[in-house]
Amino acid sequence: MNRRQFLMASVTAGLLAGTVKSAASKPAYQEKTMALWSDIPPGGGGPRGKLFISPKGNVSNIVIPTLTILTPSQPNGHGVLVAGGGGYRNIAIGLESRPAAEWLVARGYTVYILTYRLPGEGWKDGNLVSLQDAQRALRIVQQYEKKVSVLGFSAGGHLMGMAVLRPHFESYPPQDTLDQTPIIVDKAALIYPIITLEKPYTHTSTHNVLVGKNASNEEDIAWSVQTYVTPDSPPFFLVQADNDPIAKLQNILIMEQTCQENHVPVTLYRYPIGGHGFALGKPNTPAAAWPGHYEEWLKNS
């Protein structure tokens, strides 16, 4: 894809997604989609063709990384960057990102749904591409919002954790003046996230995609979220089911302990059952309580 084709595709994506949601004559929110990069993303490469959307709303074959912005009729000045999971093989927009975004925008938050590049889709910068997109997205959000927080699910929780905790890491050469903006995040919410890639928690797709099955201990540490917690880290809100077979319970306990050791405010909600991928929580299950707690935490902590 040359520069002209890329820019034309970016405009088309924005036009197709830019709609206004309305109830009677009053819009509940406005929606538009923008490309993260004004030109070809850092490193180049990547897939060709159309975005693939599964029957469940999982997306892959991401040629153009984007932000889909949902703006309420009365914004409260707080923007939330939302990243769905999918093991860095796809992104659970339908199950996680979209429902969470609509829940947040109904409460006055401006929401930025991140469709990030997937490392296994032929990008020349390999395992850095998702983090590049997350850092760029945060810089964009900061332009428009007084307060910025993130909400990530599963592998999206891993991505948001890495982006928030490594604000000074230069994952890509600056593309324009925006990339000289420091990354500052006020709060971070991670829902059944992949935290550690260290042994014995090397079974996840996140681990296999980012560092590979035969990664060294040094690589596992370098791609583990807890490695980068410092006393300057923002407050964290964590949610986990004890019987999660993918993001094992120890993930969340490691993150909680690391935050406590660094005197970082941390709030953890654990549920005895729920498994993995419960999103906003199935009705009449214990995990369905977490969005209410999250709402209070966003307002008050």
Side-chain angles (χ1 to χ4, degrees), residues 245-259:
I246 297 175
K248 300 286 189 179
L249 176 62
Q250 196 63 24
N251 271 263
I252 216 75
L253 298 180
I254 287 171
M255 188 62 182
E256 180 188 40
Q257 180 179 349
T258 307
C259 286

Side-chain angles (χ1 to χ4, degrees), residues 157-181:
H158 177 272
L159 176 59
M160 292 295 93
M162 294 292 282
V164 166
L165 294 172
R166 303 193 71 187
H168 306 297
F169 175 60
E170 295 183 1
S171 65
Y172 60 93
Q175 307 294 295
D176 50 34
T177 56
L178 178 62
D179 291 326
Q180 298 172 12
T181 307

Side-chain angles (χ1 to χ4, degrees), residues 56-58 84-85 91-100 153 192 276-282:
K56 293 184 178 180
N58 295 343
I91 307 174
I93 300 291
L95 173 67
E96 295 169 342
S97 301
R98 189 79 202 192
F153 298 84
Y192 45 86
H276 191 75
F278 51 78
L280 294 181
K282 297 178 181 178

